[in-house]
Amino acid sequence: MHDVSLIVNGVPREARVPARRLLSDFLRHDLGLTGTHVGCEHGVCGACTVLLDGQPVRSCLTFAVSVAGHEVTTVEGLAKDGELSAVQRGFAECHGLQCGFCTPGFLTTATAFLRDHPAPSDDDVIEAVSGNLCRCTGYQNIVKSVHRAAELLAEEGS
Ligand code: FES
Ligand code: FES
């Protein structure tokens, strides 16, 4: 067993976990943050994507002990002071979700992508979300949502 201390969504957290505990299970079962979804459990679907020091990672392929001392952002950490983030509002406005199972992974992926690519082309967006699978939407509204989120972020920054 190992003691793991880290920052999750801006809050210091600690837990004692086995060395083999996956970050996805750590977040969901040890910290109760069930917004991170687990689909394939082998790095393919992207549903479990969280931000590790701001970069998207598959939490189902990451050991909890390996992120000790680092900062993790889950979908629960995207809204600030009860206000949805620009990326969340973009997805809500453009119907970028249906059942919502894949959505936490798309939101975290898009958040990191738009931070580094504030005015993306269609091709940029398609490539950015190509590691996330959605069984419902057909992706067109997801691409629209990311573009709308870019507009909202630009408005916030202006
Ligand atoms: S559950 Fe992690 S990539 Fe599918
Ligand atoms: S909205 Fe259902 S899997 Fe994407």
Side-chain angles (χ1 to χ4, degrees), residues 101-112:
F101 190 84
C102 67
T103 309
F106 275 98
L107 292 173
T108 48
T109 299
T111 296

Side-chain angles (χ1 to χ4, degrees), residues 99-123:
C99 79
F101 190 84
C102 67
T103 309
F106 275 98
L107 292 173
T108 48
T109 299
T111 296
F113 169 68
L114 289 173
R115 185 194 58 221
D116 298 335
H117 304 84
S121 67
D122 260 357
D123 284 348

